[in-house]
Amino acid sequence: MVRIAEVRFAGINVTPKTNWSFVEVRTEDGRTGTGECTLANHEAALEVEIARLDAALRGADARDRNAVTRVLVHAPAGLVRHAAVSALEQALWDLAGQEVGVPIWRLLGGRLRGRVVLYANINRGVAERVPAGFAAAARRAVDDGFTAVKLAPFDPFVWEDAAEPAQRAAYAQGLERIAAVRDAVGPGIDVMVDCHWRFSAGGAAALVRDVARFDLHWLECPLAEANLAEIRRIRSMANDRGMRLAGAETLAGLAGFAPVIAAGAYDVLMPDIKYCGGHEEMRRIAALAQVHGIEIAPHNPTGPICHAHTVQVCATIPNLGRLEVQFGETPLFFGIAAGAVPAISGGAAPVPELPGLGAGLAEGVAAERPWRPMGSPWLDPRLG
């Protein structure tokens, strides 16, 4: 028996607008497994939820993942609960690999590839949020070896306020940002656009028509997943114009993804290992998606532990596209970590060979850089 001694929360501030959140599971034999549960502006709730897990799981067997990490779509704490459980599951896999001396992917049945192709999410690396600022960030990513870049160009637009002149100007500027990135990277680079659920159904239809000239690889999360019929209609419009539709980054569990898959809502599903339930649940989601001919491109724009875990599971998924990675947000991506975090440059990440995850948090970093409330979050609170 491998008894859990402690489940603890670690929130770390990495930029004036970004905290990353983690779970560390310590066992009585002195080992530590690490998972990531970053959920912007919900650090205090995560800390409370993980304290509840700590009280419930002390003395439990760390090998009993099936018993302690079940995903309940109707969980009262919602995405906070799912993030905490997903990070716990990650940490337990880390411990399992450490125990037998093999990487996580080996315990998941073996890898299908030795490297995972990446795309660069440049959004939070853009300080000057003008078209030229987005273009410069995109060029830096291409110069670093990426063959695909993603931007989120429409802040501060929200469809509920679309009648206001300032919102119309924000939409127009969003199109200018996309045009600048397309011109900067040229025709040989894939460009993806993340909409962060900013549009109504009618607005999303107009958006598809307006962005068709930019030869996008995909359009992501144009509207909330509550209306699958409208998302399916938008997908059809996008496909007719040579674009894929991508989304579902905040859903949890196979039960959360199954209706989306059945509805044919997306060409590309983006489960996030921080929210979907962890390694095994992501693999179940990917398997169901494969049956329906749907590609998996996991959501992964946060910290180094999420990245390291997602590379491990991506090594085992047949219907994998590119994996997202944050680009240019902060050098602390590597600075807060210990061990070997897979690369985020050169357009691909090697699949690790070290036991377990092969990475963790640097000693004392959570105390040195404690999380702090964000007065100016990246997203309008109405968007999640």
Side-chain angles (χ1 to χ4, degrees), residues 29 80 83 104 111 132 149 159 204 215 229 326 353 356 362 366 373:
D29 62 5
V80 170
I104 293 170
R111 64 188 179 188
V149 298
W159 74 269
D215 186 28
Q326 69 84 23
E353 298 281 356

Side-chain angles (χ1 to χ4, degrees), residues 16-359:
K17 298 183 77 171
T18 301
N19 297 311
W20 291 333
S21 299
F22 308 92
V23 169
E24 293 181 308
V25 178
R26 186 172 57 85
T27 59
E28 290 183 353
D29 62 5
R31 291 181 293 113
T32 299
T34 311
E36 183 167 344
C37 56
T38 299
L39 185 59
N41 307 314
H42 291 81
E43 292 82 8
L46 286 168
E47 191 163 13
V48 170
E49 183 64 18
I50 290 160
R52 191 194 66 77
L53 288 174
D54 176 50
L57 295 178
R58 289 197 181 204
D61 193 331
R63 297 171 297 182
D64 288 343
R65 292 181 301 276
N66 288 341
V68 301
T69 63
R70 285 178 290 181
V71 177
L72 302 176
V73 173
H74 59 277
L79 198 55
V80 170
R81 168 69 174 173
H82 294 315
V85 170
S86 296
L88 173 66
E89 197 261 10
Q90 297 163 42
L92 296 181
W93 274 112
D94 184 9
L95 288 167
Q98 292 177 36
E99 183 181 8
V100 296
V102 300
I104 293 170
W105 57 260
R106 178 67 69 190
L107 299 178
L108 295 175
R111 64 188 179 188
L112 300 174
R113 55 188 64 85
R115 60 195 289 273
V116 173
V117 178
L118 308 172
Y119 72 86
N121 181 337
I122 64 171
N123 189 52
R124 294 193 179 193
V126 179
E128 296 290 330
R129 300 190 72 77
V130 296
F134 280 87
R139 282 194 297 268
R140 288 194 295 272
V142 172
D143 289 345
D144 200 31
F146 288 92
T147 58
V149 298
K150 184 171 80 177
L151 67 157
F154 288 109
D155 55 278
F157 179 86
V158 179
W159 74 269
E160 293 175 357
D161 303 328
E164 298 177 8
Q167 292 288 301
R168 298 187 181 200
Y171 178 72
Q173 186 178 52
L175 297 178
E176 292 170 4
R177 292 164 172 166
I178 300 170
V181 167
R182 171 44 78 201
D183 289 344
V185 302
I189 301 298
D190 287 338
V191 175
M192 295 89 115
V193 169
D194 188 350
C195 302
H196 284 140
W197 317 281
R198 294 180 181 276
F199 293 89
S200 65
L207 172 67
V208 168
R209 293 189 288 268
D210 286 342
V211 300
R213 66 185 186 272
F214 300 126
D215 186 28
L216 299 183
H217 182 65
W218 79 45
L219 191 67
E220 180 180 329
C221 295
L223 62 157
E225 270 97 20
N227 194 336
L228 293 178
E230 286 298 328
I231 294 175
R232 182 64 187 86
R233 181 174 71 89
I234 298 302
R235 176 189 176 185
S236 180
M237 290 183 62
N239 290 172
D240 287 346
R241 292 161 176 81
M243 287 178 283
R244 303 177 187 190
L245 199 69
E249 67 191 50
T250 59
L251 300 184
L254 182 62
F257 279 83
V260 177
I261 293 171
Y266 292 116
D267 301 284
V268 182
L269 286 177
M270 307 181 70
D272 190 319
I273 202 166
K274 300 188 306 293
Y275 312 136
C276 75
H279 288 272
E280 288 196 311
E281 205 70 8
M282 183 179 284
R283 281 163 47 82
R284 294 184 186 106
I285 293 159
L288 183 59
Q290 184 182 13
V291 171
H292 289 78
I294 298 170
E295 182 179 308
I296 297 294
H299 185 247
N300 178 43
T302 52
I305 302 303
C306 178
H307 175 62
H309 275 290
T310 309
V311 168
Q312 297 262 356
V313 72
C314 281
T316 74
I317 292 175
N319 49 326
L320 178 73
R322 293 185 180 98
L323 171 63
E324 179 176 22
V325 69
Q326 69 84 23
F327 181 81
E329 182 177 11
T330 172
L332 289 172
F333 187 90
F334 292 100
I336 67 167
V341 175
I344 61 167
S345 62
V351 177
E353 298 281 356
L354 295 174
L357 183 63

